[in-house]
Amino acid sequence: QVQLQQSGAELAKPGSSVKISCKASGYTFTSYYISWIKQTTGQGLEYIGYINTGSGGTNYNEKFKGKATLTVDKSSSTAFMQLSSLTPDDSAVYYCAREGELGAGFDYWGQGVMVTVSS
Amino acid sequence: DIQMTQSPPVLSASVGDRVTLSCKASQNINKNLDWYQQKHGEAPKLLIYYTNNLQTGIPSRFSGSGSGTDYTLTISSLQPEDVATYYCYQYNSGWTFGGGTKLELK
């Protein structure tokens, strides 16, 4: 069965970086894009960007350019998102999600990773 | 940027009711809209993609419709397990989620 398993919660200091992972299983990893979504109580759901897991090509929401960097490791079927220059506004739950075929929605989601930025 | 406005923010309904949730885009999004359900403490779940296509495994009481700037998610007969927050999401130009409608039982 398709699964996206994300890494554990992160506690980070302002100005630092974190890298969270999303390990896929149960399907051909390189056949589907992976997207990343941020969720906060105040701002709701925000789309960060996606990565073409086959080519490594990326596309970012303008708001997250310079904040998020998406990469993949095809050998381990894992997608990564690095968040840099962290501020308290980056505290959120971050989800990875698989994009269904032909743009048919985000059909599978990871369990989410809580990132807390605090000194 | 396209703004997505969902209404109402909170909806109370009884089991068996027909429930309609609305999502309005700030410009034409050409039916490029999905609906997601999020229960407390869980990841969102895809219900409907491209306006009116029911995701595999989703009960047929859920349906979607709309065009242009106005879209609707309908639950034909509300069940207790439908208590959740529902989000619309457009991907026609950029990517934007609506603010959500919290569905409660009356």
Side-chain angles (χ1 to χ4, degrees), chain B:
Chain B
D1 292 3
I2 296 178
Q3 309 303 314
M4 304 298 291
T5 303
Q6 291 189 241
S7 60
V10 180
L11 178 60
S12 295
S14 300
V15 173
D17 282 354
R18 182 180 181 87
V19 172
T20 300
L21 286 65
S22 294
C23 179
K24 187 173 183 67
S26 59
Q27 64 190 71
N28 181 8
I29 56 171
N30 298 303
K31 296 189 173 184
N32 290 308
L33 179 119
D34 302 333
W35 288 95
Y36 294 87
Q37 175 195 66
Q38 187 176 32
K39 296 183 179 180
H40 184 68
E42 297 182 4
K45 178 181 183 180
L46 176 64
L47 298 177
I48 302 285
Y49 62 92
Y50 195 60
T51 294
N52 57 8
N53 294 274
L54 191 67
Q55 173 65 359
T56 302
I58 300 302
S60 59
R61 64 179 180 273
F62 291 92
S63 64
S65 63
S67 63
T69 61
D70 296 308
Y71 297 83
T72 299
L73 175 69
T74 299
I75 307 173
S76 61
S77 177
L78 185 67
Q79 300 301 303
E81 60 267 31
D82 300 335
V83 168
T85 300
Y86 293 81
Y87 297 95
C88 60
Y89 165 75
Q90 74 81 22
Y91 49 94
N92 183 71
S93 175
W95 310 271
T96 318
F97 287 90
T101 291
K102 186 176 182 180
L103 180 57
E104 303 173 336
L105 283 181
K106 193 180 292 183

Side-chain angles (χ1 to χ4, degrees), chain A residues 29-109:
Chain A
F29 179 66
T30 53
S31 294
Y32 298 83
Y33 290 9
I34 293 287
S35 284
W36 292 83
I37 294 105
K38 177 183 181 182
Q39 185 168 33
T40 59
T41 303
Q43 297 297 316
L45 292 163
E46 296 181 276
Y47 186 82
I48 296 170
Y50 69 80
I51 187 163
N52 178 328
T53 53
S55 69
T58 55
N59 197 2
Y60 296 92
N61 181 338
E62 198 68 32
K63 178 178 179 179
F64 292 95
K65 287 182 178 178
K67 171 61 64 178
T69 303
L70 306 183
T71 57
V72 292
D73 176 5
K74 290 189 278 188
S75 68
S76 63
S77 298
T78 304
F80 299 92
M81 177 173 69
Q82 178 163 319
L83 299 170
S84 60
S85 303
L86 291 169
T87 73
D89 287 344
D90 297 316
S91 297
V93 175
Y94 292 89
Y95 293 101
C96 61
R98 190 184 86 161
E99 289 198 30
E101 295 182 0
L102 298 176
F106 302 128
D107 58 355
Y108 289 92
W109 293 63

